[in-house]
Amino acid sequence: MTLTDADVSRIVEMAWEDRTPFESIEMQFGLNESGVIALMRSHMKASSFRMWRKRMAGRVTKHRALRSPEVQRHRASHTRQA
């Protein structure tokens, strides 16, 4: 799958968001968690990538199966509808 610059920008944005699970990124763009990690590594400075990985480590809201039912989904007006 070829991603446009806009797709890459949106994936990076979604990856930084606390409430957006990796499963949503996979559903919209076909990239699983390891694919998102690879994309982030290749499109960020090394220090920014390390900061992101540290932030995501143990963040249960990034995995739909681990998150609390109280965590509601937020959909920005510019996202694609599934």
Side-chain angles (χ1 to χ4, degrees):
M1 174 181 188
T2 303
L3 297 171
T4 66
D5 289 342
D7 290 339
V8 170
S9 178
R10 182 63 186 136
I11 291 167
V12 169
E13 181 182 358
M14 291 173 77
W16 273 100
E17 293 170 350
D18 290 341
R19 291 183 176 221
T20 302
F22 288 113
E23 294 88 352
S24 291
I25 297 171
E26 184 172 11
M27 184 177 70
Q28 289 185 37
F29 297 100
L31 284 177
N32 61 14
E33 182 178 357
S34 61
V36 172
I37 292 168
L39 181 135
M40 297 293 277
R41 181 179 282 122
S42 68
H43 285 85
M44 299 174 78
K45 294 188 303 184
S47 61
S48 297
F49 175 74
R50 285 191 302 272
M51 182 177 14
W52 174 74
R53 287 297 289 157
K54 184 176 181 180
R55 181 177 168 80
M56 292 302 105
R59 184 137 336 232
V60 296
T61 57
K62 292 305 284 185
H63 296 278
R64 186 171 285 136
L66 301 176
R67 69 193 322 180
S68 166
E70 287 84 41
V71 176
Q72 297 298 311
R73 183 161 183 224
H74 168 74
R75 183 183 292 272
S77 59
H78 63 280
T79 60
R80 292 190 220 178
Q81 298 294 321

